[in-house]
């Protein structure tokens, strides 16, 4: 099965340790279970930084990375084996198996964490952790520091410097390894085929949540039981609500439907948007607007290469959107003036794209030393221009209530990009051909 080898997780820990100050320690917390209602929990999702460094998928665990003058050590604390709890809540790996299977230098049950942390963190100069990410984790760290300060002054010492561990982990996560790209290629392929399934199923009278169910069925049947975010299925004017997730309306003939959905495979997100006609045929006004968005996306793609910039991609897209809106009579005036005023932004309210990885809006600074960061090989990002003309907009009648976004996932390669989501039909001809070939239920 395609998965990240435990040796790659270990190599990530070693790379992180190599960047830490000497005589330092890092604490990385796993996620906890989150209550959904009364005594039920949401499906568990690991903290992405913790997962990136461990591949360990249980709640409540803690990773400790220690950098002494001479050597570096990685230690896991995980839930203690507990036959009774495991009958009710599921199997636990336990510290013994965690150490050998996940290649830690040592692993201990969580029941021993307080004493062990006092011993291991004592006399370190620098403590790294994700400050402010979780009130519970902040409290645990500050309690530890207070205990170290209050201990016998001759035997213990609290670190005097706190540093943010994310400034070291996130640049690592931003550049994907060949194995991560292979997994993302598959995540994107599963998501892409889910979109094709939804296109084939769509018909007037079906509901938005049934379309979502088609996508989710496909994801699960292909090894990706979770979505990377709540699927957006917006028919008609609902497409103009950028984060619409109610998905409760019925699909009407003559409207478009916008689907923004992606699975999560081996922890990695796909994030695809397609917009298509519910009855299988674009009307002339929908088609005209669609071509503008598609051409804007293709223009933006040309900036995706090492040394390129997301702002360049955005500018290229905005030029095409502005020209198109002028031609259709939705914007009026002079092209240069409209560009200077960013007039198209009233119909394109979001950015051109974002990093993609273990998180759908993945980590990594977009600026370095206050300068925009250039694209580099191994980055994965979305390109997702859109036009959103609400039914209340002051535009020619035929364009009202049309929302269109087209979103693909690109990996930056040595000389350009690979479109990981190319499988989903995107031109009008391709979309209509697929929809009309389907046997509608
Ligand atoms: N699905 C969220 C986004 O496209 O950014
Ligand atoms: Mn999206
Ligand atoms: Mn996106």
């Amino acid at each position: 099965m395609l998965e990240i080898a435990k040796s790659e997780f270990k190599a990530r820990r070693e790379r992180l340790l190599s960047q830490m100050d000497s005589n330092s320690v890092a604490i990385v917390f796993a996620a906890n279970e989150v209550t959904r209602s009364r005594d039920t929990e949401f499906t568990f999702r690991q903290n992405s930084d913790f997962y990136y460094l461990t591949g360990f998928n249980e709640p409540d665990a803690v990773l400790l990375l220690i950098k002494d003058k001479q050597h570096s050590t990685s230690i896991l604390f995980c839930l203690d084996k507990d036959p009774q709890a495991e009958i009710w809540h599921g199997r636990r790996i336990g510290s013994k198996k965690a150490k050998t299977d996940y290649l830690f230098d040592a692993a201990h049950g969580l029941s021993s964490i307080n004493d062990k942390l006092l011993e291991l963190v004592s006399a370190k100069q620098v403590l790294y952790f994700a400050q402010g990410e979780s009130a519970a984790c902040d409290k645990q760290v500050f309690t530890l520091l207070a205990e170290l300060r209050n201990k016998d002054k001759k035997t213990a010492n609290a670190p005097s410097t706190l540093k943010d561990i994310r400034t070291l982990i996130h640049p690592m996560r931003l550049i994907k390894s060949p194995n991560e790209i292979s997994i993302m290629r598959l995540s994107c392929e599963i998501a892409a085929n889910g979109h094709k399934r939804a296109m084939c199923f769509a018909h007037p009278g079906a509901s938005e949540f049934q379309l979502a169910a088609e996508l989710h069925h496909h994801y699960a049947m292909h090894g990706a039981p979770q979505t990377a975010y709540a699927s957006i299925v917006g028919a008609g004017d609902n497409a103009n609500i950028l984060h619409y997730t109610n998905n409760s309306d019925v699909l009407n003939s003559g409207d478009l439907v916008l689907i923004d959905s992606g699975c999560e495979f081996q922890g990695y997100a796909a994030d695809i948007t397609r917009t298509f006609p519910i009855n299988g045929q674009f009307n002339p006004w929908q088609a005209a607007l669609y071509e503008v968005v598609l051409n804007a996306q293709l223009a933006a793609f040309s900036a995706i290469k090492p040394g390129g910039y997301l702002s360049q991609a955005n500018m290229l897209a905005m030029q095409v959107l502005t020209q198109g809106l002028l031609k259709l009579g939705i914007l009026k005036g002079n092209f240069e003036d409209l560009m200077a005023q960013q007039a198209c932004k009233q119909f394109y309210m979001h950015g051109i794209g974002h990093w993609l990885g273990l998180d759908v809006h993945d980590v990594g600074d977009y600026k370095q030393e206050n300068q925009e960061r250039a694209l580099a090989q191994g980055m994965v990002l979305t390109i997702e221009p859109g036009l959103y003309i609400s039914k209340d907009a002051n535009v020619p009648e035929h364009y009202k209530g049309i929302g269109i976004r087209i979103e693909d996932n690109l990996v930056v390669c040595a000389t350009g990009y690979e479109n990981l989501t190319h499988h989903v039909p995107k031109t009008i001809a391709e979309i209509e051909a697929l929809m009309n070939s389907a046997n509608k239920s």
Side-chain angles (χ1 to χ4, degrees):
M1 188 175 72
L2 189 58
E3 62 180 15
I4 304 278
K6 299 296 184 285
S7 55
E8 183 163 337
F9 290 107
K10 181 170 189 257
R12 292 172 185 170
R13 295 193 290 274
E14 285 166 355
R15 241 178 91 205
L16 178 58
L17 275 156
S18 75
Q19 298 171 67
M20 286 165 53
D21 293 346
S22 81
N23 198 26
S24 68
V25 59
I27 306 182
V28 185
F29 292 92
N32 308 119
E33 299 222 68
V34 180
T35 301
R36 178 177 183 272
S37 164
R38 198 162 138 75
D39 57 356
T40 60
E41 280 91 34
F42 286 107
T43 302
F44 176 71
R45 169 56 158 80
Q46 189 56 282
N47 173 282
S48 296
D49 286 338
F50 181 88
Y51 186 78
Y52 181 76
L53 294 171
T54 64
F56 193 75
N57 214 9
E58 287 186 6
D60 303 339
V62 179
L63 172 67
L64 195 70
L65 299 171
I66 301 172
K67 183 158 176 179
D68 289 327
K69 289 208 171 59
Q70 303 302 333
H71 60 286
S72 300
T73 320
S74 68
I75 301 174
L76 183 81
F77 294 89
C78 60
L79 290 166
D80 296 81
K81 292 290 285 177
D82 178 341
Q84 200 56 27
E86 289 180 56
I87 286 171
W88 283 91
H89 303 297
R91 297 184 185 93
R92 296 176 176 182
I93 291 166
S95 57
K96 220 168 128 194
K97 204 163 151 49
K99 175 181 179 306
T100 49
D101 290 7
Y102 292 78
L103 311 179
F104 295 106
D105 298 305
H108 307 287
L110 274 168
S111 53
S112 66
I113 191 168
N114 287 346
D115 290 346
K116 288 249 170 8
L117 281 182
L118 279 174
E119 174 194 325
L120 294 165
V121 174
S122 176
K124 294 286 174 295
Q125 196 132 32
V126 179
L127 171 70
Y128 292 89
F129 80 111
Q131 308 154 8
E133 192 168 278
S134 136
C137 297
D138 284 356
K139 189 167 169 221
Q140 196 169 342
V141 170
F142 292 139
T143 305
L144 169 70
L145 292 174
E147 280 185 46
L148 282 169
R149 287 188 201 107
N150 292 335
K151 258 178 95 89
D152 178 356
K153 303 283 181 294
K154 293 198 183 98
T155 59
N157 239 330
S160 58
T161 306
L162 299 185
K163 290 194 173 180
D164 192 333
I165 188 70
R166 290 166 293 198
T167 63
L168 300 182
I169 302 175
H170 292 183
M172 290 172 62
R173 281 179 54 190
L174 178 58
I175 307 291
K176 275 67 181 175
S177 71
N179 288 331
E180 286 180 290
I181 291 170
S182 297
I183 287 177
M184 292 191 76
R185 193 176 283 120
L186 187 49
S187 185
C188 286
E189 186 183 333
I190 296 167
N193 288 326
H195 277 261
K196 284 172 76 171
R197 183 179 165 116
M199 273 184 195
C200 292
F201 170 83
H203 56 270
S207 66
E208 293 169 337
F209 60 76
Q210 286 174 337
L211 243 54
E214 291 291 315
L215 290 146
H216 301 168
H217 173 86
H218 183 89
Y219 300 164
M221 295 304 277
H222 292 81
Q226 302 301 326
T227 58
Y229 54 92
S231 294
I232 295 167
V233 183
D237 197 44
N238 293 341
N240 293 313
I241 302 168
L242 298 180
H243 287 165
Y244 175 82
T245 50
N246 273 1
N247 300 351
S248 53
D249 281 352
V250 168
L251 311 184
N252 293 317
S253 185
D255 283 346
L256 298 180
V257 60
L258 179 156
I259 301 184
D260 182 344
S261 174
C263 56
E264 184 174 278
F265 177 74
Q266 300 277 333
Y268 287 85
D271 180 11
I272 303 176
T273 307
R274 287 293 185 269
T275 311
F276 55 90
I278 288 160
N279 62 14
Q281 191 101 44
F282 285 86
N283 73 31
W285 303 280
Q286 293 165 344
L289 273 172
Y290 188 90
E291 293 286 5
V292 173
V293 178
L294 181 56
N295 289 332
Q297 197 208 31
L298 298 177
F301 280 2
S302 66
I304 309 307
K305 56 187 170 207
Y309 291 93
L310 266 179
S311 64
Q312 254 173 4
N314 190 46
M315 189 51 65
L316 292 165
M318 280 176 58
Q319 284 170 350
V320 175
L321 294 176
T322 305
Q323 261 153 7
L325 291 170
L326 253 175
K327 190 165 154 233
L328 299 180
I330 295 171
L331 285 178
K332 292 192 171 59
N334 162 283
F335 174 75
E336 277 76 28
D337 293 345
L338 293 171
M339 281 300 292
Q341 297 155 11
Q342 304 204 337
C344 72
K345 277 285 169 194
Q346 60 188 296
F347 304 114
Y348 163 53
M349 305 83 171
H350 53 73
I352 190 67
H354 51 83
W355 312 136
L356 186 70
L358 286 170
D359 286 295
V360 63
H361 296 158
D362 208 32
V363 295
D365 289 335
Y366 289 87
K367 282 186 166 183
Q368 283 178 308
E369 290 163 13
N370 224 23
Q371 298 285 317
E372 185 181 359
R373 168 178 236 143
L375 299 175
Q377 193 174 348
M379 290 178 173
V380 181
L381 67 155
T382 69
I383 292 291
E384 49 179 304
L387 282 175
Y388 310 92
I389 320 258
S390 87
K391 64 177 173 32
D392 305 320
N394 184 19
V395 301
E397 202 57 33
H398 286 129
Y399 298 117
K400 291 184 180 181
I402 299 179
I404 296 167
R405 177 164 64 256
I406 308 174
E407 177 175 27
D408 283 298
N409 304 164
L410 275 53
V411 55
V412 182
C413 304
T415 55
Y417 65 86
E418 175 189 343
N419 183 351
L420 300 175
T421 49
H422 64 89
H423 331 63
V424 206
K426 195 160 66 171
T427 67
I428 288 178
E430 285 167 352
I431 290 173
E432 290 184 348
L434 178 69
M435 293 187 73
N436 294 318
S437 71
N439 222 345
K440 296 294 159 76
S441 46

